[in-house]
Amino acid sequence: MNAGTQAPLNAFPQMSPFEKMFQQHRVDKNGLWSYKSTNAGKKYFFSMEALFARYQNPGGALIGNVGSISYLDLVEDELIDATDDEFFDQFSENEGLNYFNAAHYNKVPKLNAPGSRLRWGWTNDDQSGFEFTGWWIARADSSWSAIEDSTHKPNPANQAIMDILLSPPNFIDPTGTGVVSSIPGVTTAEINTILQNELMNLAGLPLDDGTVNGVTVPYDLDFRVKVVSQAWGTNATWMSTPFVDKKALKIRTLAGARYMQVREGFGFVGVDSGLLYSDANNIAGIRPDLKLFSLPTGTDENEDGIIDNAGVVEDDDAGTGTSTAFFVAPVDPVTGLAVTPTTTYVNSKVDTNLAGPELGIQFDIGGDKFKIWGQTKVGIMANQETIELEGDNVGMIIRADPDDIDRPKALIDPTVDDPNPNAFTDRQTHTHVSPLFEQSIFMEMSLFDKIPVLKRMKLLEEAKFKFGYTYIVAGEIARPFDSIRWQGMPTRGLFPSINVKRESWSVGTWSLGIDWLY
């Protein structure tokens, strides 16, 4: 039973023959001492990864106030008066025909961005260990313009005249005759044609203006939205000795702490000419709120060289349509000021800071040459968020009469002392708790020793190729596009404000990298 100077080999519970070594001693099912460990000390690891991320999109929510009347229904009577019932029905019975319809956030393209991740740590002789991870994903900017979906596009050749035409004193004559101020070298007929070309049936912004049905503001020069997302984080994790320790399978528990920051933003810009327009043959004074457009079919039915005219109903049967439109700017009867082209903008941003403890498990399948491993973590995070909102000119632009009972003026006229009377700001800070979940799975393989040239590089002697996917989702996150109270009637003190709505936020990342052991 004796072997040199080594202690005698005895069955459990007698003395282990490995007592003088720094080892884990175990008893197998046969009652004999066994061990599985070394005296090599700590083994360090380090990895660098390139990330290919996709942030969660805003979803399909409405841009604006839910429940407000559509623009088509808002001008139903005026539109029928200018055309006929059949023309109105073609819009109302066909959802594919846009008439300054409200837009939804699902128009915004995917939020993709690159990033990077670093991981460093060590494992001990008992296979416990510690790791530090830091990751960063670049800002994703995604935008959509209603001009992309418009059946006719602006003509750059007309922009110089449009810039003059929509700037006082060369603005459309507000007397109600439809005659424009003179522009040297440009006839009234040419201006009429340019306006029919350049004014577009883009989209509308539904608002709560304090009335029962609300309004939808039409924009005929520009309508675009932008969404921005960015995130980064770091965490420290303690890894226990595996509680399942088979030849090709190890499972261990994880405990640690995490900090993560999410920054999101939303921007809206809408530009309206301030004009009302209709068919010149059928005009009977200014029809409130009406911007008459041909059916947005994408074809030139009356063959006048203009696709889907503004102010004219195209008709290939020589019906109500003409080649002449009537354009007019409403006038404030008190101040005598005409409504001019107006830009509406709304910017919202949320900075979210998450910090707190997390628990999880890690599994390892495989050996030194090829391994699949992953981590599942859950955490309870303290969430400190800052929400900021700003904007200007949110209201029904084309209304000018402050004494009109049904359609009162919405925007306040600027003055020398107050050039931006319709501007607004709002800011809120909140602290609450958010749950967090992270799932990751990676594949590591000894690949570089099989590739010519690379296998001779000393830097890659102990390196492994790493490929994986990580998904992070956090709950109770304020999103900038959802946390807006869409109301607008500055003349009555109604401005957009913060209305906090929280939902989940997530980001998924594919990764490619190199992992070193040393």
Side-chain angles (χ1 to χ4, degrees), residues 168-313:
N170 292 301
F171 195 57
I172 304 299
D173 183 13
T175 61
T177 63
V179 179
V180 299
S181 299
S182 61
I183 299 177
V186 183
T187 67
T188 299
E190 289 173 331
I191 290 176
N192 188 285
T193 300
I194 289 173
L195 288 173
Q196 291 184 54
N197 264 299
E198 297 305 306
L199 298 177
M200 294 169 285
N201 174 13
L202 296 179
L205 179 65
L207 295 175
D208 173 9
D209 67 344
T211 62
V212 175
N213 295 321
V215 295
T216 290
V217 182
Y219 291 93
D220 56 12
L221 291 177
D222 197 5
F223 185 104
R224 49 194 162 94
V225 294
K226 182 178 182 179
V227 175
V228 175
S229 286
Q230 185 175 22
W232 67 274
T234 183
N235 56 290
T237 305
W238 171 77
M239 303 175 290
S240 73
T241 299
F243 62 85
V244 174
D245 192 357
K246 304 295 184 179
K247 182 177 181 181
L249 173 64
K250 294 181 176 62
I251 302 177
R252 71 192 76 208
T253 57
L254 306 172
R258 174 188 299 265
Y259 171 77
M260 189 170 76
Q261 184 180 80
V262 178
R263 306 184 70 182
E264 291 192 296
F266 162 75
F268 163 76
V269 174
V271 183
D272 184 70
S273 65
L275 299 175
L276 300 176
Y277 34 94
S278 185
D279 191 299
N281 277 7
N282 298 289
I283 194 69
I286 301 174
R287 289 191 170 89
D289 296 342
L290 180 62
K291 295 174 182 283
L292 177 65
F293 268 94
S294 298
L295 295 173
T297 60
T299 58
D300 183 10
E301 285 90 350
N302 60 359
E303 299 181 351
D304 63 350
I306 304 171
I307 296 175
D308 301 337
N309 304 55
V312 168
V313 175

Side-chain angles (χ1 to χ4, degrees), residues 213-479:
N213 295 321
V215 295
T216 290
V217 182
Y219 291 93
D220 56 12
L221 291 177
D222 197 5
F223 185 104
R224 49 194 162 94
V225 294
K226 182 178 182 179
V227 175
V228 175
S229 286
Q230 185 175 22
W232 67 274
T234 183
N235 56 290
T237 305
W238 171 77
M239 303 175 290
S240 73
T241 299
F243 62 85
V244 174
D245 192 357
K246 304 295 184 179
K247 182 177 181 181
L249 173 64
K250 294 181 176 62
I251 302 177
R252 71 192 76 208
T253 57
L254 306 172
R258 174 188 299 265
Y259 171 77
M260 189 170 76
Q261 184 180 80
V262 178
R263 306 184 70 182
E264 291 192 296
F266 162 75
F268 163 76
V269 174
V271 183
D272 184 70
S273 65
L275 299 175
L276 300 176
Y277 34 94
S278 185
D279 191 299
N281 277 7
N282 298 289
I283 194 69
I286 301 174
R287 289 191 170 89
D289 296 342
L290 180 62
K291 295 174 182 283
L292 177 65
F293 268 94
S294 298
L295 295 173
T297 60
T299 58
D300 183 10
E301 285 90 350
N302 60 359
E303 299 181 351
D304 63 350
I306 304 171
I307 296 175
D308 301 337
N309 304 55
V312 168
V313 175
E314 290 184 293
D315 192 339
D316 54 7
D317 295 324
T320 59
T322 71
S323 61
T324 304
F326 178 94
F327 300 91
V328 65
V331 176
D332 187 324
V334 177
T335 64
L337 298 175
V339 177
T340 57
T342 302
T343 298
T344 300
Y345 77 90
V346 177
N347 292 325
S348 175
K349 70 174 184 176
V350 179
D351 290 345
T352 301
N353 295 278
L354 301 168
E358 56 186 7
L359 299 172
I361 61 172
Q362 176 176 316
F363 70 89
D364 296 75
I365 302 174
D368 293 336
K369 295 295 184 181
F370 179 84
K371 180 172 70 172
I372 295 176
W373 65 278
Q375 294 181 339
T376 301
K377 297 179 180 179
V378 294
I380 298 296
M381 304 286 115
N383 183 335
Q384 193 277 330
E385 63 191 15
T386 301
I387 308 171
E388 296 181 0
L389 179 69
E390 65 169 0
D392 198 3
N393 295 323
V394 178
M396 197 65 174
I397 295 168
I398 49 182
R399 294 179 177 174
D401 188 350
D403 298 321
D404 191 310
I405 298 176
D406 296 324
R407 294 177 171 87
K409 183 175 183 176
L411 299 183
I412 305 170
D413 291 324
T415 63
V416 176
D417 296 331
D418 188 3
N420 300 297
N422 302 300
F424 61 90
T425 60
D426 196 4
R427 187 178 189 275
Q428 294 183 15
T429 300
H430 304 277
T431 301
H432 60 283
V433 173
S434 290
L436 184 139
F437 172 81
E438 179 185 81
Q439 178 63 61
S440 59
I441 185 168
F442 301 96
M443 178 179 64
E444 293 181 3
M445 64 184 73
S446 297
L447 182 65
F448 300 110
D449 59 351
K450 307 294 190 302
I451 303 175
V453 180
L454 294 182
K455 66 181 181 180
R456 298 180 181 178
M457 299 178 64
K458 189 171 182 61
L459 179 65
L460 300 178
E461 283 183 355
E462 300 295 329
K464 295 181 179 179
F465 172 75
K466 185 177 182 181
F467 171 74
Y469 180 79
T470 301
Y471 178 73
I472 301 174
V473 58
E476 293 298 305
I477 303 296
R479 311 297 298 278

Side-chain angles (χ1 to χ4, degrees), residues 65-86:
N65 182 63
V66 177
S68 291
I69 190 171
S70 69
Y71 179 75
L72 179 64
D73 291 334
L74 181 72
V75 299
E76 176 180 357
D77 293 339
E78 288 72 25
L79 182 61
I80 291 175
D81 287 343
T83 56
D84 50 44
D85 291 331
E86 183 181 351

